[in-house]
């Protein structure tokens, strides 16, 4: 039988009345790629794996949670959904709402959303409101709206979102046939790290695995409330997807990190961009900047000896979204195209005069 999405595959672990009625775009089943060239570049014996969540239908991990949120919204008789978003949630919510035949409303912080993500929400038919203020203010407003009106809130404060997102942990363990030793993940609103911890614990409680990973949450320096213990009033980072100063799921995230013996790693924008480019050039994966925070966190943790070395240990980095979500950043930080005349001698000089065969 062909693959039909995470609710069909992991129904045993999900609170759904009827899996046949799932609102799905056949999300999940994303690649867990061994990053052998990155591992060699670092000169370590530990195994590095990249979970490529940009393979999901709308290009980010949000689809795992949204299939659950919309399935439950339909079960409960909702006619519309609403969310606050820095981009990926808006794309996913509007796509799954369209799939379910529901209306969708999205509040985004003005000027703080990548064009690739905004274009998706508009294309799927959402009513997009650009708000003067940051993500945290947008979330306050959508919560107020759902308290006053019969509209389903589909941000990660919706518990069904986390239920869907935890399936990423199941897939990792299924692929490795064990749990990873260390787990690196970008942290913005903190729902995803909380969800993965739920998933790893579900598998351990069910006897599928016998261990739990050390959880390492990676936050951008300009938006690191969990790493510093302080709310950030005006968060700033090139990684727009994690530009959040007061995470809604902070208590769950803090518990996940503490219980696993992990920590929060702060990475600068320069470190994020370095990791962003390294993954592209070494592993051929196009990821959005926020996704690279997990790899930046891994690089920094290894550099600062925060990882207990050991041959064969398994390190997993979550790459949360596809690079086409934010093509502007890719263009800004890549080498510019070389303008050249249509002459074979000029082409040979440009091609063979460099490091092509080094």
């Amino acid at each position: 039988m062909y693959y039909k999405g995470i609710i069909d595959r992991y129904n045993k672990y999900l609170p759904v009345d009827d899996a046949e009625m799932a609102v799905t775009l056949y999300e999940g089943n994303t690649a867990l790629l061994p990053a052998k060239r990155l591992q060699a570049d670092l000169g370590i014996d530990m195994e590095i794996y990249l979970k490529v969540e940009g393979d999901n239908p709308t290009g980010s991990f949000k689809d795992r949670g949204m299939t659950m949120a919309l399935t439950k919204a339909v079960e409960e008789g909702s006619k519309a959904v609403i969310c606050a978003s820095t981009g990926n949630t808006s794309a996913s919510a509007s796509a799954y709402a369209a799939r379910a035949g529901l209306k969708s409303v999205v509040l985004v912080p003005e000027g703080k959303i990548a064009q690739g993500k905004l274009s998706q929400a508009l294309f799927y038919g959402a009513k997009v409101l650009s708000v003067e203020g940051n993500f945290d203010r947008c979330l306050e407003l959508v919560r107020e709206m759902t308290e006053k009106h019969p509209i389903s809130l589909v941000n990660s404060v919706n518990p069904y979102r986390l239920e869907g997102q935890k399936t990423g942990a199941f897939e990792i363990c299924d692929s490795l046939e064990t749990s990873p030793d260390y787990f690196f993940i970008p942290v913005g609103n903190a729902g995803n790290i909380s969800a993965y911890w739920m998933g790893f614990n579900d598998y351990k409680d069910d006897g599928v695995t016998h261990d739990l990973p050390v959880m390492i949450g990676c936050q951008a320096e300009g938006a690191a409330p969990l790493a510093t213990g302080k709310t950030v009033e005006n968060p700033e980072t090139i990684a727009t997807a994690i530009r959040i100063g007061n995470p809604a799921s902070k208590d769950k995230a803090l518990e996940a990190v503490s219980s696993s013996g992990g920590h929060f790693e702060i990475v600068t924008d320069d470190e994020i961009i370095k990791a962003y480019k390294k993954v592209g050039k070494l592993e051929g994966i196009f990821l959005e900047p926020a996704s690279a925070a997990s790899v930046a966190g891994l690089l920094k943790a290894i550099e600062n000896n925060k990882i207990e070395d050991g041959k064969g240990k398994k390190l997993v980095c979550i790459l949360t979204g596809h690079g086409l979500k934010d093509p502007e950043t890719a263009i800004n930080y890549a080498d510019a195209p070389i303008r050249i005349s249509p002459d074979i001698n000029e082409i040979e000089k440009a091609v063979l005069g460099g490091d092509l065969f080094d």
Side-chain angles (χ1 to χ4, degrees), residues 6 9 20 45 68-69 113 124 202 220 223 227 229 241 243 258 326:
I6 62 168
R9 182 174 182 181
E20 292 296 321
D45 289 329
M68 279 294 300
I113 178 173
Y124 297 133
D202 280 357
R243 188 189 280 154
S258 174
D326 188 2

Side-chain angles (χ1 to χ4, degrees), residues 33-219:
L33 296 178
K36 293 183 178 180
R37 296 193 69 222
L38 177 59
Q39 179 183 329
D41 183 70
L42 295 174
I44 61 174
D45 289 329
M46 295 178 285
E47 300 171 9
I48 300 173
Y49 295 88
L50 306 176
K51 182 65 168 165
V52 188
E53 289 292 88
D55 288 350
N56 277 296
T58 75
S60 87
F61 76 94
K62 303 286 186 178
D63 295 346
R64 292 183 183 275
M66 212 56 71
T67 183
M68 279 294 300
L70 267 294
T71 295
K72 298 304 290 188
V74 170
E75 279 185 10
E76 295 163 2
S78 294
K79 301 299 181 185
V81 299
I82 190 170
C83 69
S85 181
T86 55
N88 283 327
T89 299
S90 68
S92 187
S94 51
Y96 280 79
R99 183 75 168 167
L102 274 59
K103 301 293 185 183
S104 59
V105 180
V106 173
L107 273 65
V108 299
E110 188 172 28
K112 302 293 185 179
I113 178 173
Q115 291 299 297
K117 303 171 188 180
L118 177 60
S119 66
Q120 286 181 282
L122 294 169
F123 183 79
Y124 297 133
K127 179 172 285 188
V128 178
L129 307 179
S130 184
V131 178
E132 295 177 4
N134 61 23
F135 169 84
D136 301 305
R137 180 57 182 147
C138 291
L139 185 56
E140 290 171 1
L141 291 167
V142 297
R143 280 176 147 165
E144 189 174 342
M145 280 292 294
T146 56
E147 288 170 2
K148 291 183 175 181
H149 305 283
I151 306 173
S152 291
L153 176 60
V154 293
N155 279 100
S156 59
V157 292
N158 179 326
Y160 298 118
R161 279 278 309 277
L162 302 193
E163 290 288 340
Q165 286 165 214
K166 74 181 182 184
T167 61
F170 301 158
E171 290 182 7
I172 290 169
C173 294
D174 289 344
S175 295
L176 297 178
E177 298 184 336
T178 184
S179 63
D181 295 290
Y182 289 90
F183 179 81
F184 295 82
I185 187 167
V187 175
N189 212 27
N192 211 25
I193 188 171
S194 307
Y196 270 90
W197 184 238
M198 288 168 56
F200 288 128
N201 275 277
D202 280 357
Y203 254 27
K204 184 174 183 292
D205 292 344
D206 201 29
V208 180
T209 57
H210 303 291
D211 299 295
L212 293 168
V214 175
M215 306 288 285
I216 300 175
C218 305
Q219 293 204 288

Side-chain angles (χ1 to χ4, degrees), residues 327-347:
E328 296 90 351
T329 298
I331 291 169
N332 288 340
Y333 286 92
D335 295 334
I338 300 169
R339 194 166 188 272
I340 197 166
S341 61
D343 178 271
I344 188 61
N345 294 319
E346 293 297 313
I347 299 294

Side-chain angles (χ1 to χ4, degrees), residues 204-354:
K204 184 174 183 292
D205 292 344
D206 201 29
V208 180
T209 57
H210 303 291
D211 299 295
L212 293 168
V214 175
M215 306 288 285
I216 300 175
C218 305
Q219 293 204 288
E221 184 178 47
L226 298 182
T228 62
K230 299 177 182 177
T231 296
V232 180
E233 295 298 334
N234 296 297
E236 284 298 336
T237 172
I238 195 167
T240 56
I242 55 173
R243 188 189 280 154
I244 295 170
N246 187 22
S249 298
K250 59 185 175 184
D251 291 339
K252 291 185 177 71
L254 289 167
E255 170 63 22
V257 168
S258 174
S259 297
S260 71
H263 67 275
F264 288 98
E265 195 73 58
I266 296 177
V267 290
T268 67
D269 278 4
D270 285 346
E271 289 167 337
I272 289 172
I273 292 299
K274 179 182 176 182
Y276 173 67
K277 296 171 74 173
K278 188 180 285 285
V279 171
K281 290 182 178 180
L282 290 180
E283 300 296 346
I285 301 171
F286 192 17
L287 65 166
E288 66 168 315
S291 297
S294 62
V295 179
L298 177 145
L299 298 178
K300 198 164 189 177
I302 290 174
E303 181 182 346
N304 294 330
N305 298 313
K306 293 182 181 179
I307 301 298
E308 186 179 336
D309 199 359
K311 186 174 183 179
K313 283 195 173 179
K314 296 172 172 55
L315 284 57
V316 172
C317 292
I318 301 298
L319 307 184
T320 46
H322 199 286
L324 288 175
K325 294 281 191 171
D326 188 2
E328 296 90 351
T329 298
I331 291 169
N332 288 340
Y333 286 92
D335 295 334
I338 300 169
R339 194 166 188 272
I340 197 166
S341 61
D343 178 271
I344 188 61
N345 294 319
E346 293 297 313
I347 299 294
E348 286 180 333
K349 187 185 299 183
V351 172
L352 303 180

